[in-house]
Amino acid sequence: MSTSIGYVVFGENFPFLTSQSVFRKAVEDDDKESRRSFREYIDVVKSICCTIQEILGKIADLGEAIKNSVNWTIPWLSTLAIVALSIIMLILYLIPFRYIVLFWGVNKFTKKLRKPNYIPNNEVLDYLSRVPSDVEKMMYKEIRADPDRSRSSSPPIKGKKISRIK
């Protein structure tokens, strides 16, 4: 089986999740030179580890975006998700499932005929890319002025001694 689970789940939006792309460089290097030095072997292992770390980071960012969407971090996007899910629920309630599957199948298999230059995209991943992860929330957090700090920078009042903590 040449496709991995990541390609099946995420589609064409994450082509780096296929098992072929992760190990392609290692296989090509094996074909070119059957005998490689220990340093080259370490470099290949390091590049594979970096790729795996990037993949896990992107998956963690998606999980944090889902969490922040549910936590109402950005209220407008959470409201948009609630409205979209309500419309989908209403459609699923009113239209029989057989007709929905029929419409989806006709749309999927005739898309190349109707729009030859169509670029596929995933609306759910587009939505989640707009919701910030926890790291992005910390980076864009508003910095407020501390009122206590502004008072301490003023010169001391005459007659009072400033005690130092040792």
Side-chain angles (χ1 to χ4, degrees):
M1 194 174 207
S2 64
T3 60
S4 69
I5 294 173
Y7 186 77
V8 172
V9 172
F10 294 110
E12 296 175 359
N13 294 317
F14 290 102
F16 55 82
L17 290 178
T18 61
S19 60
Q20 293 174 352
S21 64
V22 173
F23 299 106
R24 182 176 295 144
K25 182 177 179 183
V27 171
E28 289 174 357
D29 288 344
D30 284 341
D31 292 341
K32 290 179 185 175
E33 182 179 327
S34 62
R35 197 94 172 132
R36 76 172 76 163
S37 69
F38 183 71
R39 178 148 175 95
E40 290 173 348
Y41 179 74
I42 293 295
D43 288 340
V44 169
V45 170
K46 190 189 304 184
S47 68
I48 290 173
C49 288
C50 288
T51 304
I52 291 172
Q53 185 176 6
E54 288 175 12
I55 292 168
L56 291 176
K58 290 190 183 210
I59 291 172
D61 285 342
L62 284 175
E64 290 174 357
I66 291 169
K67 181 192 79 161
N68 290 334
S69 179
V70 172
N71 285 344
W72 291 77
T73 302
I74 298 180
W76 189 86
L77 288 175
S78 297
T79 305
L80 180 68
I82 294 292
V83 168
L85 289 174
S86 299
I87 291 171
I88 290 171
M89 180 199 63
L90 188 66
I91 288 172
L92 286 172
Y93 180 74
L94 295 176
I95 300 173
F97 188 68
R98 179 179 289 178
Y99 293 138
I100 293 173
V101 170
L102 179 70
F103 176 73
W104 174 78
V106 168
N107 184 31
K108 180 164 180 64
F109 292 115
T110 62
K111 191 172 284 189
K112 290 282 187 184
L113 296 173
R114 289 181 287 127
K115 301 174 188 175
N117 297 326
Y118 176 73
I119 299 172
N121 65 338
N122 191 337
E123 301 298 332
V124 175
L125 288 177
D126 288 345
Y127 169 78
L128 289 176
S129 69
R130 297 181 191 288
V131 179
S133 65
D134 291 341
V135 175
E136 290 171 342
K137 277 185 3 183
M138 298 265 306
M139 284 177 29
Y140 298 124
K141 194 174 194 179
E142 184 175 328
I143 301 173
R144 298 182 186 192
D146 188 13
D148 294 333
R149 188 175 183 135
S150 63
R151 288 185 203 149
S152 64
S153 64
S154 62
I157 301 173
K158 290 185 179 180
K160 287 192 172 181
K161 291 184 178 180
I162 299 176
S163 62
R164 294 187 181 182
I165 301 173
K166 292 185 179 181

